[in-house]
């Protein structure tokens, strides 16, 4: 088959001579499909990224603790009352949107569907998606202003997610408030040669471009323009695996706003140096995330004068992001660098043989949303309690941590505490579920608790079909 001269030159310049020869000798339909994919790939960007990584410096990190609002602050620079008032003002004015990153499959959970469809309700098995949408609807109702949801999928989860929401009536969220869009992809390359890998005779080996792909996808999908048209000022960003995420809660939004921060992030305090979690630190006057793999044992174990871990601020992937800041960063192609990950990448040889590697053979390219932090003015971290805000669902039951059982227990513990504070006795080890549509927090539950009987069996409060 005759190959477009521009594509031929592009492949030759990139050293992809074998791929070009394969295209020239392939079935015309196969070659045409593959050529369409290749036309959209920036081979120069891939080559430059690989070269930059090879030349990366191993200089030791010069870090300090980040600017933070901590739970233990005796005299915080912003009081809770001030922060809540500022957050409620934003919500009441309709200036807040939610951005849910939901590109992952439930593979590690033994669940062959988008992770957002995973049943996590302690009594009813409500899904992660339903819990989050109910929180948004309840928050919007409380403050009298709609909160639009921008939900980012991946190619692997997009179709099923769209169908799931349609089949469930968006769980009560109006179509005008729901925007489901898909992140981009990047080709994987052979680790030894840097050459593109094929997944099938007519298909490049593609993988999602990471949660940092959110920025480009917001632009491409029109979602960033929609945020601007709605007059949104702040976005609450969160990931799909944390059912405890207190979506668009005013306290965090208020701290973010009153600090003049363009991007803020919630964190939990690390308890042990060996915890495998990225930490937020300050480097050269800028807030940055350092992955746990980048910290030496000595740095991870370093302590301050009080005996606490010096690098304590564990990342939980919840951010407050200013819309003007997103717009500015979207115009800067280099605002989010590529990260390289060594992975086992199944591939198809030019002879058509499918290969399942037993060890890492390829490199995948990903962008991370936290790489926006160094560009943000007045960026801060806000510490939260994991008991109330963070119980990720990552591993199947039986794993040491981050399991569905642990998340359900955390939800029940929160609801039990609310009920006890409202004067309702709860028997030990009884599963409880409270729909956000019934009560968003302990204060709202207290106003509805009169007449509730003591609870000694699995209980649901709130008609989940409303």
């Amino acid at each position: 088959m005759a190959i477009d001269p521009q594509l031929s030159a592009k492949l030759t310049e990139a050293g992809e001579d074998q791929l070009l020869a394969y295209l020239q000798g392939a079935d015309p339909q196969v070659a045409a499909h593959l050529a369409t994919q290749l036309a959209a790939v920036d081979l120069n960007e891939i080559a430059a990224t690989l070269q930059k990584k090879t030349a990366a410096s191993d200089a030791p990190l010069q870090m300090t603790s980040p600017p933070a609002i901590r739970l233990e602050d005796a005299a915080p620079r912003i009081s809770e009352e001030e922060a809540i008032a500022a957050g409620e003002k934003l919500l009441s004015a309709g200036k807040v949107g939610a951005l849910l990153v939901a590109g992952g499959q439930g593979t590690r959970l033994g669940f062959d569907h988008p992770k957002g469809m995973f049943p996590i309700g302690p009594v009813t098995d409500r899904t992660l998606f339903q819990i989050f949408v109910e929180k948004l609807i309840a928050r919007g109702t409380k403050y009298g202003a709609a909160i639009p949801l921008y939900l980012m999928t991946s190619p692997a989860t997009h179709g099923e997610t769209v169908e799931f929401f349609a089949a469930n009536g968006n769980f009560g969220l109006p179509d005008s408030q729901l925007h489901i869009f898909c992140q981009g992809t990047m080709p994987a390359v052979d680790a030894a040669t840097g050459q593109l890998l094929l997944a099938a005779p007519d298909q490049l080996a593609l993988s999602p471009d990471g949660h940092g792909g959110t920025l480009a996808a917001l632009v491409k999908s029109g979602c960033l323009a929609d945020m601007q048209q709605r007059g949104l000022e702040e976005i609450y960003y969160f990931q799909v695996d944390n059912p405890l995420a207190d979506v668009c809660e005013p306290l965090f939004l208020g701290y973010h706003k009153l600090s003049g921060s363009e991007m803020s992030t919630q964190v939990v305090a690390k308890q042990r140096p060996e915890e495998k979690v990225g930490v937020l630190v300050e480097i050269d006057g800028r807030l940055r995330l350092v992955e746990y793999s980048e910290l030496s044992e000595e740095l991870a174990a370093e302590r301050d004068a009080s005996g606490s871990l010096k690098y304590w601020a564990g990342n939980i992937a919840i951010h407050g992001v200013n819309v003007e800041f997103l717009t500015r960063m979207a115009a800067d192609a280099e605002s989010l660098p590529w990260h390289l990950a060594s992975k086992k990448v199944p591939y198809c040889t030019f002879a058509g043989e499918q290969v399942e590697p037993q060890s890492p053979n390829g490199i995948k390219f990903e962008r991370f949303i936290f790489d926006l932090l160094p560009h943000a003015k007045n960026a801060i971290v806000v510490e939260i309690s994991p008991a109330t805000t963070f119980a990720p669902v990552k591993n199947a039951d039986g794993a040491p941590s981050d399991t569905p059982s642990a998340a359900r227990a955390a939800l029940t513990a929160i609801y039990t505490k609310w009920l006890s504070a409202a004067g309702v006795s709860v028997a030990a080890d009884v599963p409880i579920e409270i729909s956000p549509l019934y009560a968003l927090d302990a204060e709202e539950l207290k106003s509805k608790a009169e007449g509730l009987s003591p609870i000694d069996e699995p209980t649901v409060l709130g008609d989940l079909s409303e």
Side-chain angles (χ1 to χ4, degrees):
M1 173 182 170
I3 305 301
D4 177 80
Q6 285 187 323
L7 178 58
S8 178
K10 176 179 173 179
L11 292 173
T12 300
E13 184 182 347
E16 293 280 1
D17 299 313
Q18 286 182 298
L19 181 55
L20 177 58
Y22 169 75
L23 271 178
Q24 290 168 333
D27 175 89
Q29 280 191 313
V30 168
H33 190 269
L34 191 54
T36 299
Q37 285 192 322
L38 285 165
V41 174
D42 189 338
L43 294 175
N44 290 331
E45 182 178 37
I46 290 174
T49 302
L50 290 170
Q51 185 176 14
K52 191 182 298 182
K53 185 66 177 180
T54 304
S57 169
D58 290 325
L61 299 170
Q62 301 297 319
M63 307 182 300
T64 58
S65 294
I69 295 173
R70 302 207 60 178
L71 293 172
E72 62 193 29
D73 286 345
R77 52 197 173 95
I78 300 169
S79 71
E80 281 194 20
E81 293 77 12
E82 289 175 308
I84 290 171
E88 289 182 332
K89 184 177 179 181
L90 282 169
L91 289 161
S92 298
K95 299 297 185 183
V96 178
L99 175 52
L100 172 58
V101 179
Q105 294 273 51
T107 308
R108 284 162 60 186
L109 296 165
F111 182 72
D112 191 24
H113 300 283
K115 190 180 286 187
M117 293 170 56
F118 188 80
I120 200 63
V123 182
T124 68
D125 280 344
R126 278 180 311 156
T127 63
L128 288 159
F129 279 144
Q130 183 172 354
I131 289 173
F132 294 139
V133 171
E134 287 183 354
K135 287 182 180 183
L136 273 181
I137 292 172
R139 191 81 69 188
T141 300
K142 180 173 182 177
Y143 293 104
I147 303 174
L149 174 61
Y150 303 91
L151 193 163
M152 188 175 80
T153 62
S154 67
T157 65
H158 185 76
E160 197 170 359
T161 298
V162 170
E163 291 173 4
F164 186 64
F165 271 79
N168 289 279
N170 297 345
F171 304 103
L173 194 67
D175 287 342
S176 61
Q177 294 175 37
L178 177 64
H179 304 268
I180 302 178
F181 64 105
C182 190
Q183 71 185 110
T185 58
M186 275 289 281
V189 301
D190 181 81
T193 65
Q195 303 287 291
L196 294 173
L197 292 170
L198 299 182
D202 64 344
Q203 176 76 41
L204 290 173
L206 300 172
S207 59
D209 55 6
H211 49 72
T214 304
L215 196 57
L218 282 172
V219 175
K220 185 177 180 180
S221 65
C223 286
L224 183 58
D226 184 81
M227 293 174 183
Q228 295 163 337
Q229 289 165 6
R230 289 175 183 268
L232 301 184
E233 293 180 4
E234 309 295 345
I235 298 298
Y236 179 99
Y237 168 105
F238 65 114
Q239 294 188 349
V240 75
D241 61 8
N242 178 18
L244 268 61
D246 196 1
V247 185
C248 295
E249 51 106 353
L251 179 62
F252 176 55
L253 290 170
Y255 281 139
H256 168 71
K257 180 70 174 179
L258 294 179
S259 296
S261 170
E262 291 186 320
M263 184 171 180
S264 305
T265 184
Q266 287 190 343
V267 296
V268 296
K270 280 184 64 175
Q271 302 301 311
R272 304 180 312 280
E274 63 273 16
E275 287 180 47
K276 292 185 175 181
V277 60
V279 292
L280 278 300
V281 301
E282 190 170 71
I283 299 176
D284 296 329
R286 293 287 179 177
L287 188 63
R288 296 178 184 270
L289 187 136
V290 174
E291 295 282 22
Y292 66 85
S293 57
E294 299 178 84
L295 283 179
S296 65
E297 288 186 16
E298 292 76 18
L299 277 176
E302 198 170 326
R303 296 184 181 271
D304 60 24
S306 70
S308 299
L309 288 174
K310 187 172 181 181
Y311 307 114
W312 59 272
N315 176 45
I316 62 170
I318 295 178
H319 307 291
V321 192
N322 181 266
V323 174
E324 287 187 7
F325 171 64
L326 276 180
T327 303
R328 190 172 79 240
M329 289 296 98
D332 180 2
E334 298 302 316
S335 59
L336 289 173
W338 290 108
H339 294 255
L340 308 186
S342 178
K343 300 285 185 178
K344 288 189 285 186
V345 180
Y347 65 98
C348 178
T349 68
F350 293 137
E353 178 190 1
Q354 293 289 338
V355 180
E356 289 284 342
Q358 300 303 305
S359 59
N361 65 304
I363 293 173
K364 292 185 177 182
F365 298 78
E366 296 177 303
R367 281 179 162 143
F368 299 141
I369 197 72
F370 54 68
D371 281 327
L372 287 174
L373 284 165
H375 302 275
K377 297 172 185 174
N378 303 318
I380 60 163
V381 303
V382 178
E383 184 187 0
I384 54 91
S385 167
T388 60
T389 316
F390 187 56
V393 181
K394 295 182 181 293
N395 307 310
D397 283 333
S401 63
D402 300 343
T403 62
S405 291
R408 293 187 186 103
L411 286 166
T412 289
I414 290 170
Y415 301 143
T416 298
K417 187 174 181 180
W418 290 4
L419 286 161
S420 299
V424 180
S425 65
V426 181
D429 301 321
V430 174
I432 298 170
E433 192 166 340
I434 299 176
S435 167
L437 302 177
Y438 184 85
L440 258 176
D441 51 36
E443 182 181 352
E444 191 171 357
L445 178 65
K446 194 171 185 179
S447 70
K448 300 181 178 182
E450 187 175 348
L452 286 178
S453 302
I455 293 174
D456 58 8
E457 62 182 12
T459 298
V460 179
L461 294 179
D463 183 351
L464 301 182
S465 64
E466 288 178 348

